[in-house]
Amino acid sequence: MRMVDFVVRDAIIPKLTANTKEGVIREMVESLRHACHFQNTEPEDVVKAVLKREQIASTGIGRGVAIPHAKHDCADHLICTVALSPQGVKFDSLDGEPVHIFVLLISPTDKPGDHLRALEKVSRGLRDDNLVKQLRQATTSEKIWDILGQADDHQST
Amino acid sequence: MRGGCVGIISEEPTSPTNEVVMTPHNARERITETEKSAAPRADDSSSSRESQEAMTGTTLEQALLITNPNGFHLRPAAAFAETARKFQCQVTIRKDSTTVNGKSPLDLLVLAAAEGTELILEVSGADAEAALKALVDLLTTLEVIRT
């Protein structure tokens, strides 16, 4: 599994307009919906599912990174988008720092293995300081897509 | 030093989202203790018990069998790292030939430990025993493992 296999290219947001946790999640879910239609689901349902997960514990795992996610049957396979916030968003992160890189994962309820493998791929990439630096400097969806692809290539070598 | 320091949580799990298939407990528990040679430390001048313990690092190891259908996913990984950071000792988790830092959520997620995976938790340092107990208790409460 590669990141470019589950990240929806047309849903990438190089510069978020939202500056709150809920706003970021809503903007990312809307972007995913525009790029790949949800099955029989209102986007607000997905927003609620992601926010419900955030209420249990923040997915802001430090280093300026958050991986909001939910299991939802709006998708029959794992879908994901990446968004950047140059100014950073308060996200109740583990280290208290604002989040600049968001990775939203929506996985079908019956595929926990795919969800774990996607988390692995994303984590492997975001452990790399150089990748994080490159992502934070990216200003276009194309550039973000290229960086993700390069990270995939790097991981497979 | 006590031997097996695995805490048993008697309360009902509070996790609201995870459905957990209860499986018979078959996790192998392996606790080893090794006394490492005393490493020089900045606070050598102190003769307190704590300082003595810090000088004789304790290493404890325990096998963890993941029993949650969702595996060792993000929420327990973040909680694990947060708890591990409260201790001075080194915390690592090993899966086959991969060893990661237990104080980093991203590192823990790299393990992609699905249900049925066996991990080896190793804690090493002055407060290793307390750390092992806290971490095993946490994973039990979050229904990642069964003890």
Side-chain angles (χ1 to χ4, degrees), chain B residues 75-88:
Chain B
R75 181 154 49 94
F80 186 96
E82 193 173 21
T83 299
R85 287 177 191 181
K86 292 175 183 164
F87 297 91
Q88 289 178 359

Side-chain angles (χ1 to χ4, degrees), chain A residues 52-53 56-63 65 67 69 71 94-95 109 112-113 115-117 119-124 126-127, chain B residues 16-17 69-76 78-79 81-82 85 98-100 103-107 109-115:
Chain A
K52 191 176 167 190
R53 165 61 186 84
I56 299 167
S58 174
T59 60
I61 52 174
R63 293 168 55 90
V65 173
I67 312 179
H69 60 271
K71 293 191 170 62
L94 212 59
D95 59 3
T109 49
H115 181 75
L116 267 189
R117 279 191 291 279
L119 282 175
E120 179 208 343
K121 289 294 160 196
V122 170
S123 306
R124 226 177 252 284
L126 295 175
R127 282 199 308 174
Chain B
T17 55
N70 293 322
F72 194 5
H73 57 106
L74 193 144
R75 181 154 49 94
E82 193 173 21
R85 287 177 191 181
T98 306
T99 302
V100 300
K103 297 185 178 184
S104 158
L106 287 173
D107 267 32
L109 290 174
V110 163
L111 294 172
E115 182 181 19

Side-chain angles (χ1 to χ4, degrees), chain B residues 14-36:
Chain B
T14 52
S15 168
T17 55
N18 285 349
E19 288 176 35
V20 171
V21 178
M22 302 299 273
T23 55
H25 171 56
N26 58 353
R28 284 193 294 110
E29 285 174 13
R30 184 156 48 96
I31 302 203
T32 60
E33 222 174 283
T34 54
E35 294 298 316
K36 285 188 177 171

